[in-house]
Amino acid sequence: MAVLTEEMKKVLRVVGKGGAVVHLTTSSIDGKPNIVAERFVTHYKDEYILIADMFAQKTKVNLNENPVASISVAHPVKDHAWVFRGPCTVISNAAPDQYRWHDIVAGEVLNDWGDWVSKEPPDEVPPDIAPPKVAQRGVIALKVEEIYRFDAENAGQSVL
Amino acid sequence: MSVNLTPRMKDWFTENGAHIALATKTGFPSVIVAETVKAGDDTIRITLSSSQIKQIEQILLENPYAALAPGNLGSVRAPYQVKGTAKLWSDLLEIKVEEVYCTKPGAEAGIRLDTLGYDGMKEYEESRWTDLSPKV
């Protein structure tokens, strides 16, 4: 089990609050990877990362058959060249309140993060790349079990 | 069949580097990040460090599939995902582009751009973005 440091928690939040855009990587069960940039990101309960499920079509197909993912810091990186990896799932807005995945309870996490646009509106996103309409379907949750560096000199080196 | 990238795609990848996603043949994901890449017409070439080679060489022996997305500001302004077949030549990773997707959030997320054809992809970009090069 890896626990996120305070420095990591500052990075794992939306850009408008000083965090970073991240890339979410999943894979089909037969090894075809998929990578997508994500703006709505936050740390959660010391060892989880949440991403809003907005339009994650292939990501959800992959997670359904192969529930593991990586999240890499994309922009700004500075010296935060980290990849977080571990079990990953989608907690749907339609999940029963008592549904539990590891230490995450659906009713609790969706109460906090199920309406992300109202909580953290994407005001910093330029209009030509902002979605004209957002429709959150739930949250994608990753349980951090490994953290490694991605800068060229130290690529693959464990952090925690 | 390989796919030719547009000038905007090539420029944004070249100037912003890439996050390169690989996976074992049973789907365990691994990511390396290159600060600079050379994006040609249908091939992206990346010079790797010894640490990066060590991280991915075994994976590539069993599974050549790769997916790439632009790094740095490109992760915000250049919402592309490129998929293809990767081959490691000593310290050079070469990815032959076979599919290009739009990852712009919203109704266009997941559109397979290469089905539009080369001219169609350029028209798609020109109708949406004025920053056809990250240098502008």
Side-chain angles (χ1 to χ4, degrees):
Chain A
M1 180 189 81
V3 175
L4 300 169
T5 65
E6 291 308 308
E7 187 182 6
M8 290 170 182
K9 289 179 182 177
K10 287 179 184 171
V11 175
L12 293 168
R13 54 188 179 182
V14 294
V15 172
K17 289 190 172 176
V21 173
V22 298
H23 278 307
L24 172 64
T25 296
T26 58
S27 174
S28 64
I29 195 69
D30 61 351
K32 291 184 178 135
N34 193 75
I35 182 165
V36 182
E38 305 282 355
R39 181 261 180 194
F40 291 97
V41 61
T42 187
H43 57 87
Y44 186 71
K45 284 191 172 181
D46 290 338
E47 57 177 315
Y48 296 92
I49 302 171
L50 304 179
I51 287 172
D53 170 16
M54 297 284 188
F55 304 94
Q57 300 179 77
K58 187 63 177 171
T59 296
K60 287 202 282 193
V61 172
N62 286 345
L63 289 176
N64 189 44
E65 65 181 21
N66 184 30
V68 61
S70 293
I71 291 172
S72 44
V73 178
H75 180 69
V77 176
K78 299 177 185 170
D79 58 346
H80 307 132
W82 300 314
V83 180
F84 307 88
R85 183 165 58 187
C88 190
T89 195
V90 179
I91 299 174
S92 163
N93 276 352
D97 284 349
Q98 67 275 20
Y99 171 74
R100 180 181 280 271
W101 184 77
H102 295 278
D103 296 325
I104 295 180
V105 179
E108 293 174 9
V109 75
L110 293 170
N111 187 52
D112 284 346
W113 296 100
D115 182 11
W116 212 316
V117 173
S118 298
K119 189 181 179 91
E120 295 181 339
D123 298 331
E124 84 284 2
V125 181
D128 62 331
I129 52 173
K133 193 163 82 175
V134 293
Q136 187 175 352
R137 276 90 166 183
V139 294
I140 297 165
L142 182 141
K143 184 174 191 288
V144 180
E145 291 192 341
E146 287 177 78
I147 307 170
Y148 65 85
R149 295 197 63 86
F150 67 64
D151 49 304
E153 285 298 300
N154 303 297
Q157 188 177 103
S158 290
V159 176
L160 292 175
Chain B
M1 195 178 80
S2 64
V3 170
N4 281 348
L5 299 170
T6 64
R8 185 178 196 267
M9 294 168 184
K10 289 192 282 190
D11 280 353
W12 276 92
F13 269 111
T14 298
E15 293 294 321
N16 288 274
H19 287 227
I20 302 122
L22 303 166
T24 64
K25 62 183 177 185
T26 56
F28 192 68
S30 197
V31 176
I32 60 170
V33 176
E35 285 300 312
T36 57
V37 307
K38 289 180 182 169
D41 288 338
D42 67 349
T43 307
I44 294 176
R45 294 182 178 87
I46 301 157
T47 302
L48 301 181
S49 69
S50 56
S51 300
Q52 290 170 322
I53 294 169
K54 185 179 171 190
Q55 188 184 334
I56 66 166
E57 62 185 344
Q58 192 60 41
I59 296 170
L60 282 176
L61 284 176
E62 61 180 80
N63 182 23
Y65 290 112
L68 288 77
N72 297 303
L73 186 60
S75 65
V76 179
R77 294 232 45 103
Y80 303 118
Q81 177 179 202
V82 164
K83 295 191 179 186
T85 305
K87 193 168 175 65
L88 188 59
W89 305 89
S90 185
D91 65 347
L92 183 69
L93 183 67
E94 189 175 275
I95 294 135
K96 189 67 77 177
V97 177
E98 293 164 357
E99 301 168 19
V100 181
Y101 294 86
C102 177
T103 58
K104 181 182 174 183
E108 293 173 295
I111 289 178
R112 188 167 168 185
L113 295 177
D114 59 278
T115 61
L116 303 175
Y118 182 80
D119 290 338
M121 288 198 293
K122 285 182 71 176
E123 285 169 20
Y124 181 90
E125 292 170 333
E126 287 162 6
S127 67
R128 282 159 180 77
W129 300 300
T130 55
D131 55 350
L132 297 181
S133 167
K135 296 170 191 163
V136 173

